[in-house]
Amino acid sequence: MRAKRPMDFAQAMYTAEIEEFMDAEGRSDVTVYDRGLLDIVGFLKIEGLEMPALIANGCRENVYDGPIFHAPPWREIYRRDTERIENWEQAVERDQVICEAWREFGYELIELPHASVEARADFVLGLL
């Protein structure tokens, strides 16, 4: 399923991500993001759209300090709902495109294990 107005959606995502990034800048504590600017790059690729210079420049100028964790699709727990509209194959394909976008901008992704919430939290905390 494609977005009805994908470029408008990408611009709205960009604005929200930049605001979140700026809010965290200069803080001394750890900030964990659920999504990031490079997810927008992946979204644009999925939609077959050119990346606006504003977004490309924003991704280059606003760099995330690592580690960058990646929660890959997990077949055993994957369920479609109103937010997760892709079927399994589409979800895997989209995940690959988004990961490629992060790597294109020089990020190394650390894959989260398919494990309990507690084990995943311990894994993340162990690397922070």
Side-chain angles (χ1 to χ4, degrees):
M1 174 180 250
R2 297 176 67 94
K4 289 182 183 174
R5 295 174 41 203
M7 190 56 75
D8 290 344
F9 183 67
Q11 294 288 350
M13 287 191 321
Y14 178 78
T15 299
E17 291 298 335
I18 284 292
E19 286 175 8
E20 191 172 71
F21 190 90
M22 296 300 169
D23 285 348
E25 208 163 348
R27 293 175 56 177
S28 61
D29 55 346
V30 173
T31 301
V32 177
Y33 299 91
D34 180 45
R35 293 282 178 195
L37 291 166
L38 287 296
D39 289 355
I40 303 164
V41 175
F43 170 78
L44 291 168
K45 288 175 182 271
I46 289 163
E47 292 292 324
L49 297 171
E50 293 291 320
M51 184 171 23
L54 174 72
I55 292 175
N57 292 336
C59 290
R60 282 197 256 337
E61 294 167 5
N62 301 285
V63 178
Y64 295 94
D65 292 329
I68 306 298
F69 296 105
H70 168 239
W74 186 353
R75 182 68 167 149
E76 290 75 23
I77 66 170
Y78 188 83
R79 300 288 180 273
R80 291 176 78 174
D81 58 28
T82 57
E83 298 294 319
R84 191 176 290 118
I85 59 174
E86 300 92 3
N87 65 34
W88 173 250
E89 291 77 19
Q90 292 167 324
V92 170
E93 182 180 324
R94 286 174 175 260
D95 179 69
Q96 290 170 347
V97 172
I98 291 169
C99 287
E100 288 170 16
W102 281 86
R103 290 184 186 107
E104 285 175 20
F105 278 79
Y107 292 95
E108 182 180 331
L109 304 177
I110 298 170
E111 192 166 306
L112 295 174
H114 288 172
S116 69
V117 172
E118 295 79 13
R120 289 163 70 106
D122 288 344
F123 179 83
V124 168
L125 293 172
L127 292 172
L128 294 179

